[in-house]
Amino acid sequence: MVTNSLFALTIYFLISTTVHPWYIINLIILAVFTRYKFAVVWSFLVVLSYFTYSQTDFKESPLLLFVEYLFLFGYIIVEFAKINNKPIIK
């Protein structure tokens, strides 16, 4: 049940238009009880979103968002493959 909750909340945050850094705390709490640790990686990457608050017009940087989610998705794919013992590339 905890793993399913972790995945459901992760999907919710991934399709949300706004994810503030403190939202990830709930994912970290759930991840403590599972084998998945991508929430911890996301908590480090989400710091990139603070760049938005340094802008006078609060405009997000698409490049920083791309980098954040590129590393996050990459880590999630590697972690799922490792936990499920499936090679990423055959």
Side-chain angles (χ1 to χ4, degrees):
M1 184 172 134
V2 176
T3 304
N4 289 338
S5 298
L6 175 67
F7 292 147
L9 194 56
T10 299
I11 291 169
Y12 175 74
F13 287 151
L14 288 174
I15 62 174
S16 295
T17 57
T18 304
V19 179
H20 293 291
W22 52 89
Y23 292 0
I24 307 300
I25 293 170
N26 297 316
L27 290 177
I28 294 171
I29 292 169
L30 290 171
V32 167
F33 302 105
T34 68
R35 298 183 298 172
Y36 299 99
K37 303 303 175 209
F38 62 85
V40 176
V41 172
W42 198 354
S43 72
F44 286 107
L45 291 171
V46 79
V47 173
L48 295 174
S49 67
Y50 278 117
F51 176 77
T52 301
Y53 300 116
S54 70
Q55 305 300 311
T56 56
D57 57 353
F58 296 107
K59 188 172 181 177
E60 285 187 314
S61 168
L63 178 63
L64 285 178
L65 286 175
F66 177 76
V67 168
E68 176 184 346
Y69 285 102
L70 178 71
F71 280 113
L72 178 64
F73 287 130
Y75 186 83
I76 289 173
I77 290 168
V78 169
E79 186 173 44
F80 283 151
K82 189 162 85 170
I83 288 177
N84 295 323
N85 292 325
K86 294 181 182 174
I88 297 171
I89 301 174
K90 293 183 180 184

